[in-house]
Amino acid sequence: DGGITQSPKYLFRKEGQNVTLSCEQNLNHDAMYWYRQDPGQGLRLIYYSQIVNDFQKGDIAEGYSVSREKKESFPLTVTSAQKNPTAFYLCASKNTGGVNTGELFFGEGSRLTVL
Amino acid sequence: EDKVVQSPLSLVVHEGDTVTLNCSYEVTNFRSLLWYKQEKKAPTFLFMLTSSGIEKKSGRLSSILDKKELFSILNITATQTGDSAIYLCAVGGGADGLTFGKGTHLIIQP
């Protein structure tokens, strides 16, 4: 079945540690996105990538880094520079070629808690 | 900066009631407006609207877009407890993803 897989689903980290969240998709989508969701805040865009080996900062990129070495994979690293990393992280992808409906397809999310 | 404002932010109604959720937006390059339902984890797609005045329907849910007033509504009739969720409105302006509102947290009481 086609879809987006995020791992881990739950993650605990101590302050000062970097952590990497995995996102893999087999939908053959070119564009991939990382959002952060906090209670009462909706979804805010961290980084996005429209093509392999290229990515752009979103609205809240500080303290995060990404890579896009393969079309299927878009991992997000939450660095120790991120002041409030405890949140729910959602990865998404979109078909930008052919019939572009604009719809984002989401993974199940990763909940990061910093102790 | 693109902006999406949803109202109300939370709503509690009884089963069987009809609810209307609102979404207004300001974007520099509008392409589409999307509604998602989020229960526990991943948001699930409900509707995408690109043209004014054309209602989209799916069972008890319906939505319409007014591009002149920069506004959309999502209606749910004969609500059920399974409709309890966060409803997200998002606007797409291009390849840089979607801009989301804060969501409406809907609770349906039996």
Side-chain angles (χ1 to χ4, degrees), chain A residues 15-31:
Chain A
E15 274 192 31
Q17 291 179 334
N18 291 356
V19 62
T20 296
L21 308 180
S22 167
C23 178
E24 303 279 331
Q25 55 101 356
N26 59 5
L27 299 168
N28 200 34
H29 288 169
D30 284 311

Side-chain angles (χ1 to χ4, degrees), chain B residues 9-60:
Chain B
L9 293 179
S10 64
L11 184 59
V12 182
V13 300
H14 288 103
E15 216 170 7
D17 288 349
T18 292
V19 297
T20 298
L21 311 183
N22 305 299
C23 177
S24 64
Y25 63 90
E26 292 175 30
V27 295
T28 51
N29 184 19
F30 178 87
R31 274 202 180 178
S32 56
L33 184 144
L34 292 89
W35 285 97
Y36 284 85
K37 177 183 181 182
Q38 185 179 27
E39 293 180 80
K40 286 205 186 324
K41 295 181 180 176
T44 54
F45 174 76
L46 293 175
F47 298 111
M48 187 181 78
L49 305 157
T50 55
S51 301
S52 265
I54 298 174
E55 187 184 48
K56 295 244 176 150
K57 281 199 79 161
S58 176
R60 296 176 293 103

